[in-house]
């Protein structure tokens, strides 16, 4: 039974859209919350701009969105920094990976109930954590147990303590590190994928490389899930998603021995036909995966094996699918964003 995506709503942003993230949960009676990161290079000023926008979603629509400079309810309207990745710590706090070497932390500062009874939240920047004194574009981040792992266009992997703000180099690649995540099976392990065609595993305590696995093209995303023990998924510029089994990494999950030459077993390879820029597991069904596949738009993968047809918003005429995330309130709903179209879309899946 093939799942069919049904488009509910569309929102046009001011800047190029590259990432969307639903809040892990919302205050009771409030609309669901989501954020979108924007990034673009302004050739007139030679500056990187963008910012982050906040959405409220209710009854399959973007609602209560005051306009600021033709943008949605934003924390920054066309800010003087771009945002390339976002992760929520909880519904009151999220972190942005920015183009100026900074990790920006936003937290709830006001909770106001409107005349209609809905609850409106205001998020404001509470801290700016500088990971490097030199200008590096932070391309990806993840959060776990008070620590942030982030990666940059200079091939650096940084581990940052969110309370002290102190950062240290936790690993290196030969080129841009497009993606980094904490393992959902063991937060002491970090995975990073880079344009040097390697996926590496690192020990966050010693910053030593635990293992590496070569790919035939640059690795642009990596994902694990607590419900799929031992699985690691990577997306590559070879237009494929690779599914690995970590049980064939000797002692990685047990004693964290440094086996940099060990073999990873490839369980399966899925043909996407477009570069899988983001991979997201459905919050209810770990065998259902959403993919932002760049020029191939968006795809749904059922049973972790059946790749669905390409789909996109009809208004996306310069399609470059960079963002995908599932709703935490309704696992049948999800958001996408197309970079050059500057469009955020709200969808719901239906059985065809």
């Amino acid at each position: 039974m093939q799942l069919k995506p049904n488009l509910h709503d569309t929102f046009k942003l001011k800047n190029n859209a590259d990432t969307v993230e639903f809040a892990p949960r919302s205050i009771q009676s409030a609309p669901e919350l989501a954020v979108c990161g924007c990034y673009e290079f302004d050739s007139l000023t030679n500056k990187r701009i963008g910012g982050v926008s906040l959405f409220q979603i209710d009854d399959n629509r973007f609602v209560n969105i005051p306009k600021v400079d033709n943008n949605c309810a934003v924390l920054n309207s066309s800010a003087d920094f771009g945002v390339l990745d976002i992760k929520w710590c909880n519904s009151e706090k999220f972190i942005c990976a920015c183009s100026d070497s900074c990790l920006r932390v936003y937290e709830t500062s006001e909770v106001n109930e409107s005349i209609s009874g809905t609850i409106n939240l205001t998020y404001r920047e509470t801290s700016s954590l500088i990971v490097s004194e030199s200008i590096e574009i932070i391309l990806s981040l993840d959060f776990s147990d008070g620590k942030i792992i982030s990666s940059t266009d200079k091939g650096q992997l940084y581990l940052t303590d969110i309370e002290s703000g102190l950062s240290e180099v936790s690993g290196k690649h030969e080129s841009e590190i497009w993606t980094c995540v904490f393992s959902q099976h063991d937060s002491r392990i970090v995975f990073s994928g880079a344009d040097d065609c390697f996926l590496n595993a690192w020990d966050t305590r010693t910053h030593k490389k635990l293992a590496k696995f070569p790919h035939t093209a640059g690795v642009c995303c990596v994902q694990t899930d607590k419900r799929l023990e031992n699985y690691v998924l990577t997306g590559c510029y070879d237009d494929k998603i690779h599914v690995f089994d970590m049980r064939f990494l000797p002692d990685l999950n047990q004693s964290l021995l440094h086996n940099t030459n060990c073999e990873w077993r490839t369980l399966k390879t899925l043909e996407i036909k477009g570069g899988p820029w983001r991979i997201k597991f459905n919050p209810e069904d770990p065998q259902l995966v959403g993919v932002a596949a760049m020029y191939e738009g968006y795809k749904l993968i059922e049973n972790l094996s059946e790749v669905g047809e390409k789909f996109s918003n009809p208004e996306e005429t310069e399609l470059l699918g960079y963002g995908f995330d599932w709703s935490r309130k309704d696992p049948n709903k999800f958001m996408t964003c197309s970079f050059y179209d500057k469009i955020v879309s709200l969808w719901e899946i239906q059985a065809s």
Side-chain angles (χ1 to χ4, degrees):
M1 181 172 60
Q2 188 174 12
L3 298 177
K4 178 183 177 182
N6 180 41
L7 179 62
H8 281 311
D9 205 5
T10 302
F11 199 91
K12 182 79 170 181
L13 292 159
K14 183 176 181 179
N15 297 312
N16 297 338
D18 56 25
T19 182
V20 289
E21 292 285 329
F22 276 98
R25 60 179 175 81
S26 297
I27 291 178
Q28 190 173 8
S29 80
E32 187 164 24
L33 300 176
V35 285
C36 176
C38 294
Y39 167 86
E40 63 183 87
F41 180 74
D42 187 336
S43 59
L44 296 177
T45 62
N46 289 324
K47 292 182 178 180
R48 296 179 175 90
I49 60 174
V52 56
S53 301
L54 175 68
F55 294 89
Q56 292 184 333
I57 301 162
D58 195 19
D59 193 27
N60 298 329
R61 292 288 182 269
F62 298 117
V63 298
N64 296 333
I65 307 174
K67 301 294 181 63
V68 181
D69 294 339
N70 296 319
N71 208 341
C72 66
V74 297
L75 311 167
N76 297 286
S77 179
S78 193
D80 57 358
F81 57 86
V83 173
L84 293 99
D85 197 11
I86 304 174
K87 291 293 185 299
W88 290 83
C89 305
N90 50 56
S91 63
E92 287 80 38
K93 180 190 294 186
F94 61 87
I95 307 168
C96 295
C98 301
S99 60
D100 57 355
S101 304
C102 288
L103 294 163
R104 287 179 168 82
V105 181
Y106 292 87
E107 298 184 68
T108 305
S109 59
E110 298 176 20
V111 180
N112 301 314
E113 186 168 356
S114 68
I115 296 176
S116 63
T118 58
I119 298 175
N120 299 316
L121 302 180
T122 300
Y123 287 81
R124 300 188 186 282
E125 181 180 330
T126 57
S127 59
S128 181
L129 312 176
I130 301 174
V131 301
S132 172
E133 292 301 324
S134 62
I135 298 299
E136 299 183 43
I137 301 174
I138 304 179
L139 301 171
S140 178
L141 74 93
D142 200 12
F143 174 82
S144 179
D145 300 327
K147 302 288 186 180
I148 306 168
I149 193 71
S150 61
S151 63
T152 76
D153 64 329
K154 304 299 183 185
Q156 301 276 43
L157 198 63
Y158 293 98
L159 187 67
T160 304
D161 182 89
I162 196 169
E163 287 205 8
S164 68
L166 297 177
S167 296
E168 55 186 338
V169 176
S170 189
K172 295 181 180 181
H173 281 258
E174 295 300 318
S175 56
E176 298 97 327
I177 305 177
W178 297 118
T179 181
C180 61
V181 296
F182 286 99
S183 169
Q184 291 293 305
H185 312 115
D186 187 339
S187 61
R188 296 171 296 176
I189 301 172
V190 164
F191 294 105
S192 61
D195 216 41
D196 60 9
C197 306
F198 277 99
L199 172 69
N200 292 342
W202 308 87
D203 185 339
T204 59
R205 301 170 303 174
T206 63
H207 308 314
K208 298 293 185 179
K209 188 187 298 181
L210 298 170
K212 63 181 179 180
F213 186 82
H215 289 59
T216 58
V219 181
C220 43
C221 64
V222 59
Q223 199 64 263
T224 64
D225 190 283
K226 289 182 179 178
R227 300 163 297 176
L228 295 175
E229 189 175 3
N230 302 313
Y231 280 24
V232 179
L233 274 64
T234 62
C236 272
Y237 284 123
D238 61 4
D239 296 347
K240 297 179 178 68
I241 289 177
H242 306 273
V243 183
F244 299 105
D245 189 337
M246 285 201 307
R247 285 174 295 185
F248 289 81
L249 281 171
D251 301 312
L252 177 58
N253 293 314
Q254 298 174 1
S255 60
L256 296 178
L257 296 178
H258 307 306
N259 301 290
T260 57
N261 296 314
C262 59
E263 297 276 337
W264 292 29
R265 179 182 176 185
T266 304
L267 293 180
K268 63 182 74 173
T269 299
L270 305 176
E271 295 284 348
I272 304 299
K273 298 181 180 178
W277 188 254
R278 295 192 196 276
I279 301 171
K280 292 295 183 76
F281 289 98
N282 182 274
E284 187 175 83
D285 179 6
Q287 298 288 329
L288 175 59
V289 175
V291 182
M294 292 193 270
Y295 294 105
E296 190 67 8
Y298 317 101
K299 297 203 172 182
L300 299 175
I301 302 173
E302 298 180 67
N303 303 315
L304 208 58
S305 60
E306 303 164 24
V307 181
E309 295 296 321
K310 165 186 176 180
F311 66 93
S312 61
N313 189 321
E315 295 185 30
E316 294 174 344
T317 58
E318 300 180 79
L319 183 60
L320 187 62
Y322 267 177
F324 189 110
D325 198 31
W326 297 98
S327 164
R328 304 307 188 269
K329 276 191 170 183
D330 183 346
N332 289 318
K333 294 178 181 176
F334 60 93
M335 287 178 67
T336 61
C337 68
S338 177
F339 188 70
Y340 293 118
D341 294 299
K342 307 176 183 180
I343 284 178
V344 177
S345 305
L346 179 65
W347 305 81
E348 183 172 9
I349 53 176
Q350 299 174 335
S352 62

